[in-house]
Structures are given as C-alpha cells and as structure tokens.
Amino acid sequence: MRVSALPVQLFRTALVISVITGSAQAITFTGDVPSDFTGAGVVAVADNVDVGIPVQAPPLTVSGWEVVNVAFELDANADELHIGLDFAGIAGDADGDGFEGNTAAWLASNQGFDMPNLMGTEAICIGLDLDQSGSTDIVAGVGATTDILGYSVSTFVNMGLLPFSFGAPLPGNQGPHLFGNDVEMTISNLSSLVAYGNELCFNFSGFSGSYADDGIGEDFLMGEVCLTTRTGATEDVVSGFGLEANYPNPFNPTTSIRFNMGETANAELAVFNMAGQKVATLVNGLVGAGSHEVTFDASNLSSGVYFYTLNSGSIVETRKMILTK
C-alpha cells in the first residue's frame, strides 16, 4: 500500500457543480470543505484509513477517493444537517492524475476506468444511524447504481454494501449539494427524520470509490459524532475561535499558520499525515485570547498532503496543506 502527495500541477476544476437552492444556508458551498466548514459548531472527524494504490501507479500518486476527514454542522434554525467530505485530491479522480474522468495509461493497462461525473459504479455517499439503534436509517450522496441519477437522500436498504443501499428517496430532503474537489451536502427537514434538542449524537459510515477502477482507492470511514445546535445567523457563530489557511501553500519547507482564540483556554495545534499519525505539535497548553501565528518547519518530512488541527475543549477545526520538495 502506498499513499503519497497530491500532484502540484493539479487543476482545480469542479467535478460536478449541481446546487439546488433551498432554505437559507448558514454555509456557502464552494467545493472546499476546510474553507466552508469553519463555524463554531463544526465537528471534523479524521479518516485514519489509507486507500490502496497499486504498484503500477507512478510515484507521488494519491487517489481521488482518499478522504482526509468528514465535517458536520447542525443548523437548528434551518432544520438542516450539513456534511462535508474533505478529499485529498479531486473527488472522483480515481487515478489521481489531476484530471477527473481521464483514465491514465497505467490504470487502463489494469482494465480500470476513471469515469467522469460519478458515472457507472462510482459512488460517494454517507449513511447515518440517527437514532443510534445500530442500524443505518438514511443514506445521502451518489449511489453506485445506474438507476440513481445524481444526489439523493434516501431510506437505507441493507444490501450489505453502502453504495448499493439507496432505497426510496425521501421527499423534501433534497438539500443543496456540490461535488467539486470536495463533496458537500445538506440534509434538509432533519426533524422529520429524528427528534433533536440542543444536541444530536449519531453514528455515520461512508464510502467513496468504484468497482470499475481496478479496485484502487476505495475508502471506507465510520465513527460517532455529537453536534450542538446553532441558529444559522452569522453573528451566532462568530466566537473568535478560528483556524486560518496556512501560507504559503504548497510550501517548502516552512509555512505560517494563523489561528484565533475567542478567550484564554487550553488549546493544541498539531499536524498529522494522511495515515492520521501526529507528526508535529506546534502549540499545546494555555493560549491567550486573540490572534496567534506559528511557523511550521517540515524539513524532516517527505513531500505529501498533511492536515493541521486546532483543538480547544469541544471545538475542533482542521485544514489541509501540501508539502513539496
């Protein structure tokens, strides 16, 4: 198994842009999860399972099925659950060549296909066990069956494999969605699916990949998350806590990371590799209110995709960066 860096020459073109307007969104989807999911109520869960790349793949190849983390935000005012899947490359770019829908020669020689626009058996979806009964209740995203056209929020049918488990679509639950470099979606009318008050805890499981791409890169993720509600108004989510994009990015070998603290509190700023291993701790201890900046020196690390996480109490924010040497 080999997972390595995102190609520097990556063209940041959208895989599919398909936005359905609905109730007012607290989040504006752009296809970049770390930039869009920045509210105080956002919870990001790291995916610590690497996807596999065949030995035939060129060096520094990372599949477009590799999920770095999944972000959630609950908006009680809009009765919506926002979900973002943060991909290491372009979502759906199976061979990681920077061109979604273009099949690289090495993949074609293995009878694999990189299909455009999540066609065929390509799928990116997430299942939710909202009542934590041990059984998935609904599944959202794009399924791996030809009769599912585009994004859907549907009842879950237990067929053993998540991407094939889309049942009847749920009326009124076609929330806004965008498939770009990352995948973002909204489940609307959430209260019709589960009763929730100030907090909602649920189990999730996700899948990204295809069974027609030589079996490379399929990614599976699962976990439990607890969210507190928010009103959806901008002023209600500005807490002073925030993690900014590093600069420069890509970088070699140093980059600056800025973050803000709404109040004096214990905080940890750490850097992780794509395997979920902590490679550096930049801040760990009591940090004063206000804006802070630290320099990350990656001289001892190899080229690749890394993500950095700011953790203070129950608030966690994560962003990704690229080291090129």
Side-chain angles (χ1 to χ4, degrees), residues 77-126:
N77 185 58
D79 195 21
E80 293 176 338
L81 174 63
H82 303 296
I83 303 172
L85 293 167
D86 183 15
F87 283 82
I90 297 178
D93 177 20
D95 50 23
D97 64 355
F99 298 92
E100 193 279 326
N102 177 74
T103 301
W106 67 265
L107 179 58
S109 67
N110 290 351
Q111 288 75 53
F113 301 93
D114 182 5
M115 293 172 283
N117 300 337
L118 299 183
M119 295 177 62
T121 59
E122 291 190 338
I124 298 174
C125 55
I126 189 163

Side-chain angles (χ1 to χ4, degrees), residues 180-203:
N181 292 330
D182 297 330
V183 172
E184 302 172 306
M185 64 185 80
T186 292
I187 297 176
S188 58
N189 299 322
L190 185 64
S191 60
S192 67
L193 303 174
V194 62
Y196 63 93
N198 295 326
E199 185 179 60
L200 172 64
C201 296
F202 56 88
N203 303 322

Side-chain angles (χ1 to χ4, degrees), residues 194-275:
V194 62
Y196 63 93
N198 295 326
E199 185 179 60
L200 172 64
C201 296
F202 56 88
N203 303 322
F204 69 90
S205 56
F207 173 86
S208 65
S210 170
Y211 295 98
D213 61 7
D214 189 38
I216 72 164
E218 281 71 32
D219 202 3
F220 301 88
L221 53 149
M222 61 182 59
E224 180 185 19
V225 64
C226 288
L227 306 174
T228 55
T229 60
R230 47 162 288 186
T231 65
T234 302
E235 57 270 19
D236 290 335
V237 301
V238 179
S239 66
F241 179 94
L243 181 61
E244 300 181 14
N246 64 298
Y247 182 83
N249 190 27
F251 68 98
N252 178 29
T254 62
T255 187
S256 295
I257 300 174
R258 294 176 59 89
F259 66 96
N260 302 301
M261 297 289 293
E263 59 184 18
T264 300
N266 286 311
E268 181 185 57
L269 177 62
V271 180
F272 298 82
N273 61 22
M274 289 181 61

